[in-house]
Amino acid sequence: RIVTVDGVMLPESAADLQVRLNNIYKQAVTKVDLGGDYITSFTPGLSGIFSDLPSGWLSAYNSQMSSLINEFEDVYPGVEDDTYYLFVLPINSETPTRSGFMPKKRKYGFIYNHVVSNPVALAKTIAHELGHGAFVLEHTFETYENNTEVNRQAGERTNNLMDYDATGTRLYKYQWDLIHDPVTAPLLPGDG
């Protein structure tokens, strides 16, 4: 589910975004279901910069993220265990180049404001973060750093969904395999 925070306006309908996401994931014979329209009435009153660093090696989320998750679960007690939630924030990350954050095997992710107005960048960022949370995919440059296809020199990018290229949506065969059989335990609670 997509949760727009503090009145964030997205550039297209949930149905149009779902089409974009399914166009990305169809290469792995997978579909994304956004569960209907956006959740739009969540207004915790965020301002400033959003911290994007985990608080410690045992926690997937820092205190600011956990606070937002806890408030959401208080407002929406019907949070579903087998559903992923992506908060689209009205503020940016403290790391200017970071577009989103979603830990592996976690149900909550965060999309930062600077990608919100561009439907292509928004869909790519959501698909990338779901790659981490739902499918346990790692960045290509972390997984196969010695593979010449995905190993890159400084400033070089691949067109893979799990790279940092702004528009890359390609998936490799090993990623298709993980999408269909993630090497995960069941979805972990939100650390909230």
Side-chain angles (χ1 to χ4, degrees):
R1 298 288 313 253
I2 303 296
V3 181
T4 61
V5 177
D6 290 337
V8 167
M9 298 297 294
L10 298 184
E12 60 188 356
S13 70
D16 290 340
L17 178 58
Q18 184 165 305
V19 167
R20 285 185 192 278
L21 293 171
N22 285 329
N23 281 336
I24 293 170
Y25 276 110
K26 74 180 177 185
Q27 63 191 306
V29 193
T30 298
K31 289 187 175 186
V32 173
D33 180 3
L34 293 181
D37 212 352
Y38 305 124
I39 297 174
T40 59
S41 58
F42 183 53
T43 56
L46 294 179
S47 63
I49 299 291
F50 199 79
S51 175
D52 60 10
L53 300 174
S55 59
W57 68 276
L58 288 177
S59 178
Y61 302 112
N62 63 36
S63 60
Q64 191 176 20
M65 292 172 179
S66 293
S67 177
L68 185 69
I69 291 166
N70 288 337
E71 188 172 344
F72 179 73
E73 289 177 347
D74 288 345
V75 172
Y76 293 93
V79 168
E80 299 170 30
D81 289 336
D82 61 349
T83 299
Y84 298 91
Y85 294 86
L86 288 155
F87 298 106
V88 182
L89 305 175
I91 57 179
N92 284 325
S93 160
E94 66 187 357
T95 306
T97 57
R98 182 168 276 180
S99 299
F101 177 83
M102 188 171 194
K104 285 182 249 164
K105 297 197 265 183
R106 302 295 179 172
K107 70 185 299 166
Y108 293 107
F110 305 88
I111 307 298
Y112 301 114
N113 189 57
H114 69 275
V115 297
V116 167
S117 63
N118 180 333
V120 173
L122 179 65
K124 188 282 195 301
T125 301
I126 289 170
H128 177 100
E129 297 310 329
L130 284 173
H132 290 309
F135 303 122
V136 197
L137 299 179
E138 294 192 23
H139 296 120
T140 54
F141 51 87
E142 294 169 342
T143 305
Y144 291 100
E145 60 189 53
N146 293 323
N147 181 329
T148 56
E149 182 179 7
V150 295
N151 188 20
R152 56 198 167 125
Q153 303 300 318
E156 195 176 320
R157 302 279 189 253
T158 71
N159 64 351
N160 190 274
L161 176 65
M162 300 311 294
D163 199 343
Y164 285 153
D165 178 74
T167 59
T169 59
R170 180 178 170 204
L171 291 167
Y172 298 123
K173 169 68 167 77
Y174 80 88
Q175 292 168 317
W176 301 354
D177 294 340
L178 288 170
I179 287 169
H180 289 282
D181 188 19
V183 287
T184 67
L187 182 67
L188 298 172
D191 266 18

